[in-house]
Amino acid sequence: ELKVEQNPLFLSMQEGKNYTIYCNYSTTSDRLYWYRQDPGKSLESLFVLLSNGAVKQEGRLMASLDTKARLSTLHITAAVHDLSATYFCAVPSGNTPLVFGKGTRLSVIA
Amino acid sequence: NAGVTQTPKFQVLKTGQSMTLQCAQDMNHNSMYWYRQDPGMGLRLIYYSASEGTTDKGEVPNGYNVSRLNKREFSLRLESAAPSQTSVYFCALTRGYINSYEQYFGPGTRLTVT
């Protein structure tokens, strides 16, 4: 059974600082997804990582995938308040739908 | 979430009541999903449908039934609601191609069972 673990689950960081969110998964997968959710809203796709070594960046967020280590990272550079949200990683297992991590609730404070 | 609509947006039920959550898409995709989201639990798959007329159980199907009568609509039914079914329910579909697909989520239905 595929398990997806994120850490930390809660993160409070100061504006301007850098930090990394980690996503580990337990079985082989060649792709991984990152989503963002604002309070009371739906999930919005951030990144789709499709192969080992894939790296994608948008603004202050950069995601990478190491399929051999079964690890993905979401790196935040020079955080700003607008990045406050909950971030989910998700992994497919064979032909099954996505299995989600529990999410990382990020709060960026001045 | 223009391509996926969910109704209702909010609902309060009493224990034992029944209701159907509706999901409709205008994106002409085959695969559709129902998830529930609870605090600290992430999203958990209830049921999914790979195509019209087919449905499969997900991680937490107990207490729910689904119906996929046509390509556009995928409904979730609670026959006898329980407080444990208080949650936010999201409908999703898969868009893209085999090697580059992603799941796209509807706006959600917030359900409270008292």
Side-chain angles (χ1 to χ4, degrees):
Chain A
E1 178 188 347
L2 172 62
K3 294 191 184 302
V4 180
E5 294 186 352
Q6 289 182 236
N7 70 83
L9 296 182
F10 299 93
L11 176 56
S12 179
M13 55 188 300
Q14 287 186 312
E15 283 187 331
K17 297 293 186 182
N18 304 333
Y19 207 82
T20 300
I21 298 170
Y22 297 88
C23 176
N24 292 90
Y25 53 98
S26 61
T27 64
T28 302
S29 178
D30 62 355
R31 66 188 64 199
L32 185 139
Y33 301 78
W34 284 98
Y35 289 86
R36 169 183 171 142
Q37 185 180 37
D38 292 304
K41 302 293 186 182
S42 185
L43 278 78
E44 172 189 351
S45 178
L46 281 177
F47 299 111
V48 181
L49 302 170
L50 295 176
S51 62
N52 186 43
V55 177
K56 289 198 173 179
Q57 181 165 7
E58 182 164 335
R60 300 175 188 272
L61 299 178
M62 183 173 71
S64 66
L65 177 62
D66 182 342
T67 58
K68 294 179 181 177
R70 299 176 186 168
L71 170 69
S72 179
T73 60
L74 180 64
H75 187 72
I76 303 154
T77 301
V80 294
H81 180 72
D82 286 352
L83 291 179
S84 297
T86 300
Y87 295 86
F88 292 93
C89 62
V91 180
S93 178
N95 292 324
T96 61
L98 297 180
V99 176
F100 284 79
K102 293 185 177 181
T104 296
R105 185 180 296 178
L106 171 64
S107 177
V108 180
I109 56 178
Chain B
N1 309 112
V4 180
T5 58
Q6 291 185 236
T7 55
K9 288 186 169 55
F10 301 94
Q11 183 71 48
V12 178
L13 291 178
K14 293 184 178 179
T15 297
Q17 287 185 318
S18 63
M19 78 161 295
T20 299
L21 282 65
Q22 304 284 357
C23 174
Q25 55 141 331
D26 60 5
M27 303 171 79
N28 200 35
H29 291 286
N30 285 319
S31 297
M32 297 183 75
Y33 310 83
W34 277 106
Y35 289 90
R36 61 177 288 173
Q37 184 178 28
D38 303 294
M41 298 294 291
L43 276 78
R44 292 182 293 170
L45 183 67
I46 305 171
Y47 272 94
Y48 66 99
S49 171
S51 61
E52 178 183 341
T54 68
T55 61
D56 287 285
K57 294 179 180 179
E59 179 186 357
V60 288
N62 291 345
Y64 305 95
N65 286 302
V66 290
S67 178
R68 182 88 183 272
L69 297 179
N70 56 60
K71 193 172 187 178
R72 186 173 173 273
E73 297 170 303
F74 188 35
S75 60
L76 179 71
R77 182 160 178 83
L78 287 70
E79 291 291 351
S80 178
S84 61
Q85 294 178 305
T86 293
S87 189
V88 181
Y89 292 86
F90 288 102
C91 176
L93 54 79
T94 298
R95 64 181 182 182
Y97 300 95
I98 293 175
N99 293 324
S100 182
Y101 66 85
E102 62 177 341
Q103 286 197 352
Y104 180 81
F105 288 82
T109 294
R110 189 175 297 271
L111 175 67
T112 301
V113 183
T114 61

